[in-house]
Amino acid sequence: DASAPEAARAHAGQQTVLVIDDEPDARDLMQRALERLGFAVCVATAADEGLRLAATCAPVLICLDLNLPDRSGWAVLAELQKNSAAPPLMVVSVEDCRAKSIKLGACEHLTKPINRDQFTAAVLRFARVNVYGEPQEPPSPRIAAGAP
């Protein structure tokens, strides 16, 4: 798990992605895929820890599981959506409810077990960085979902 000092180190040249997931295998897969892409990774195993890290590690993208031990991922999504400067949030869950995720503000919904290539493609599409590691504006969730 990424601590505050690790999060601070991540800012020294690397963009950070926050993974909020209590399932060790899923966390490990996402973390390894993200690190291969050159991202620093902050990890939270519970909702409250994830909300704290969202405020302190300045992620360019958040990957959120819906089934967390201390509260629902839906509650985390709603809390994060209150901040207009919140980074894009990608739901990664065993629950197959993509339409609901997108409607509530997620930029993407991947159903577990996830395919690493599909996950990687989604991260590169929605992280607020371009191929040169420079910040950029994320696509609108409505555009990403194919809405007019």
Side-chain angles (χ1 to χ4, degrees):
D1 295 59
S3 63
E6 289 176 80
R9 264 199 316 274
H11 295 303
Q14 277 186 303
Q15 299 292 327
T16 302
V17 174
L18 172 59
V19 174
I20 307 171
D21 196 320
D22 65 324
E23 184 184 327
D25 290 341
R27 262 196 333 265
D28 184 55
L29 185 148
M30 287 186 275
Q31 184 168 2
R32 283 184 288 118
L34 291 162
E35 288 171 349
R36 280 190 198 110
L37 291 172
F39 289 99
V41 182
C42 287
V43 176
T45 59
D48 290 338
E49 179 186 16
L51 289 168
R52 182 181 57 76
L53 285 174
T56 60
C57 78
V60 296
L61 178 70
I62 297 173
C63 299
L64 174 68
D65 184 20
L66 295 175
N67 300 308
L68 298 168
D70 53 346
R71 70 168 113 162
S72 163
W74 298 119
V76 175
L77 176 58
E79 186 68 28
L80 291 168
Q81 290 298 319
K82 291 178 184 177
N83 178 356
S84 63
L89 186 142
M90 187 164 64
V91 171
V92 181
S93 179
V94 295
E95 293 184 37
D96 187 9
C97 45
R98 185 177 197 285
K100 182 177 180 180
S101 294
I102 301 300
K103 181 179 180 181
L104 294 177
C107 64
E108 180 61 278
H109 180 105
L110 299 178
T111 303
K112 292 179 184 176
I114 59 172
N115 171 290
R116 187 178 64 217
D117 293 337
Q118 183 183 27
F119 174 75
T120 298
V123 167
L124 292 174
R125 188 170 56 227
F126 293 108
R128 288 184 177 173
V129 292
N130 61 26
V131 294
Y132 304 106
E134 300 164 341
Q136 68 180 19
E137 287 302 311
S140 159
R142 291 183 53 77
I143 292 170

